[in-house]
Amino acid sequence: FALDIVRNSFPRGFGANHNRALAGVAEGFVCVLNPDVVLREDPFVPLVQILEGQPDSCAYPVQVDGAGRVQDSEREIPSPLALFRRRFLKQTEHRVDWVNAACLLMPAAVWHGMGGFDERYFMYCEDVDFCLRLRLRGGRLLQAPVQVIHIGQRASGRRLNHLAWHVRSLMRLWTSPV
C-alpha cells in the first residue's frame, strides 16, 4: 500500500486534519484514526465485514484503555441533562447516539457524501456532529467484534484551553440543526 503524508502549514483541529488527509482518497473505504490508537490486531477485516450490505453506515471497534478496560466511547447526545447525569450522578448511558471517532471506518462514498467533518468544530464534538448527521441520513453506527487500545488524553478535564474548546463546541452543537 502507499502511505501519503499530509502536512499542514499550521496546526488545525481534528476534523480539519482528517478532511485534508482524506480529501482525495480513491479507495473504497476510509478510516478516521487517532494517533493515540494502538492496534493489537488487524481491526480492518472485521470493520469492513460488518459493513457488508450496509453501504450508508460506519463501523467502529470496541475501545479499551491500556489496561484492557472498555472505554465509554458509545454515548447519548451530549445534552445538558445527559452531561449532568453522566458527570454528577455517575449514571451509565444506555443509548448509542454517537461514537468516539478515534477509530471509525466507512465507505469512502459516505465520507465524501457527508463532506467529512464540520471544520467549525475544533477538537471536540466534530465526531458527535458527524454521527448525528450520518444517522439523520439513515446511516447506522455498527460495532465490530474487534478491539483497539485508545490512550485518550481527556485533556478538557485538565487544561483550560481544551475545556474552552470543548464548551465552545458543545454550544455550537446545541445550537446546530442536528
Side-chain angles (χ1 to χ4, degrees):
F1 64 91
L3 175 63
D4 295 323
I5 298 174
V6 178
R7 297 189 192 282
N8 294 329
S9 56
F10 61 90
R12 299 180 189 271
F14 178 85
N17 286 332
H18 280 87
N19 287 349
R20 277 156 190 72
L22 300 174
V25 71
E27 289 78 13
F29 292 91
V30 298
C31 183
V32 172
L33 188 64
N34 274 22
D36 61 354
V37 168
V38 178
L39 308 177
R40 290 188 300 191
E41 57 186 304
D42 179 357
F44 300 107
V45 171
L47 288 167
V48 169
Q49 285 176 337
I50 202 154
L51 287 171
E52 288 179 13
Q54 304 283 339
D56 297 327
S57 298
C58 294
Y60 64 97
V62 175
Q63 293 181 27
V64 298
D65 64 16
R69 293 181 299 260
V70 175
Q71 293 186 332
D72 59 345
S73 59
E74 301 170 306
R75 306 248 182 98
E76 292 179 17
I77 293 174
S79 68
L81 180 59
L83 292 173
F84 177 79
R85 286 193 319 256
R86 184 168 176 259
R87 287 279 187 195
F88 298 105
L89 302 179
K90 306 295 183 199
Q91 292 179 351
T92 305
E93 295 171 288
H94 298 289
R95 204 174 65 228
V96 179
D97 295 320
W98 68 279
V99 296
N100 176 324
C103 182
L104 190 62
L105 186 120
M106 70 203 77
V110 170
W111 176 260
H112 294 305
M114 291 187 51
F117 287 117
D118 183 338
E119 295 185 20
R120 293 175 295 177
Y121 293 94
F122 182 79
M123 299 294 290
Y124 298 97
C125 295
E126 57 275 275
D127 47 3
V128 182
D129 172 78
F130 185 87
C131 290
L132 296 178
R133 287 187 292 126
L134 173 83
R135 296 188 64 225
L136 286 171
R137 293 171 44 129
R140 296 177 54 209
L141 299 167
L142 305 170
Q143 186 187 78
V146 65
Q147 292 184 350
V148 298
I149 299 170
H150 180 217
I151 312 300
Q153 302 297 311
R154 306 209 185 260
S156 64
R158 295 187 328 273
R159 298 181 60 195
L160 197 53
N161 60 338
H162 283 259
L163 177 61
W165 292 332
H166 205 157
V167 169
R168 187 170 40 231
S169 290
L170 282 168
M171 295 303 291
R172 176 175 301 287
L173 182 71
W174 292 339
T175 59
S176 77
V178 300

